[in-house]
DNA sequence: TGAGAGACATAGGATTACGATGTCACTATC
DNA sequence: GATAGTGACATCGTAATCCTATGTCTCTCA
């Protein structure tokens, strides 16, 4: 996978994965990988700074919780209201970009 | 336009615009803008370093030529054989990324 | 001759993905 | 019960890349 293609799309992807229900870091990576047949494989140095960025911007909110199976507590993230708006904005933005790309490349 | 979305896609766009026939910088910008109704508006600080990068990589080849209407000579670029291969590789890469994005976002 | 336009060029800053590394709490094994 | 292993979270430094700002050069036109 070309790393640069991810730039500018990572936030959108994370917001979209978090949207349905609270989820923590490791599960986000697994979800992204499974749903794309291994195409996406977020590294920790990619995922965690991005989550912090989103939290700092107020788009997501995290809280540590214990899993039923024990172990260390994990940080569950969920969308804030502002995050929901950001998600739909970014979806639109991405569609506009896709459309422009198609106009240049010719959809084939 | 979100600048980050362009990252990793600029080379593909330039190669695609250059492919049909030799073209110089200013015309590339105009072409990109016209075909996307003004969505793309490459800045000089974006365009020229990118062209240099592609030329240094051997994907395009430039030569100064005078325009019929006079003025300073302009630098026409055209694809090399290696550039044609790069273009088709990048097209494929982009399609794979699109597909993965759709799998995550749900094409709607 | 001087102002302006068009094309090409590049340095510096900002953003962002990622490799490398570290910490911490718990689990399993010997 | 000491030791090694695992999963999750965290952060530093690097590399890549787009863009703002600035500059130069050539030609045209007033």
């Amino acid at each position: 996978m070309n790393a640069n293609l991810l730039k500018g799309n990572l936030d959108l992807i994370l917001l979209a994965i978090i949207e349905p229900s609270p989820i923590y870091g490791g599960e986000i990576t697994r979800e992204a990988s499974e749903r794309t047949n291994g195409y996406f494989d977020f590294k920790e140095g990619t995922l965690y700074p991005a989550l912090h960025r989103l939290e700092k911007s107020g788009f997501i909110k995290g809280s540590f919780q214990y899993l039923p199976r024990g172990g260390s507590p994990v940080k569950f993230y969920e969308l804030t209201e502002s995050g929901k708006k950001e998600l739909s904005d970014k979806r639109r933005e991405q569609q506009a970009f896709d459309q422009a790309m198609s106009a240049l490349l010719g959809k084939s």
Side-chain angles (χ1 to χ4, degrees), chain A residues 9-25:
Chain A
N9 286 121
L10 180 58
D11 289 6
L12 166 58
I13 293 173
L14 294 182
L15 291 174
I17 292 179
I18 295 172
E19 186 192 23
S21 64
I23 185 172
Y24 67 94

Side-chain angles (χ1 to χ4, degrees), chain A residues 6-97:
Chain A
L6 193 53
K7 293 200 179 182
N9 286 121
L10 180 58
D11 289 6
L12 166 58
I13 293 173
L14 294 182
L15 291 174
I17 292 179
I18 295 172
E19 186 192 23
S21 64
I23 185 172
Y24 67 94
E27 282 299 316
I28 293 177
T29 301
R30 261 187 291 283
E31 184 87 3
S33 177
E34 274 173 23
R35 278 163 60 182
T36 61
N37 295 316
Y39 183 85
F40 283 125
D41 177 26
F42 299 146
K43 312 304 180 188
E44 300 184 322
T46 299
L47 179 67
Y48 292 109
L51 288 175
H52 298 162
R53 213 164 47 225
L54 291 172
E55 186 168 27
K56 193 173 173 187
S57 300
F59 299 139
I60 61 177
K61 197 167 140 343
S63 62
F64 281 96
Q65 290 175 34
Y66 286 89
L67 292 177
R69 64 155 182 247
S72 304
V74 299
K75 195 168 184 182
F76 275 84
Y77 287 100
E78 62 187 335
L79 288 200
T80 62
E81 280 309 311
S82 142
K84 289 175 189 170
K85 180 174 179 311
E86 177 74 2
L87 173 57
S88 77
D89 285 352
K90 281 200 171 294
R91 273 183 190 273
R92 251 191 303 279
E93 196 177 60
Q94 214 265 343
Q95 280 169 9
F97 184 83

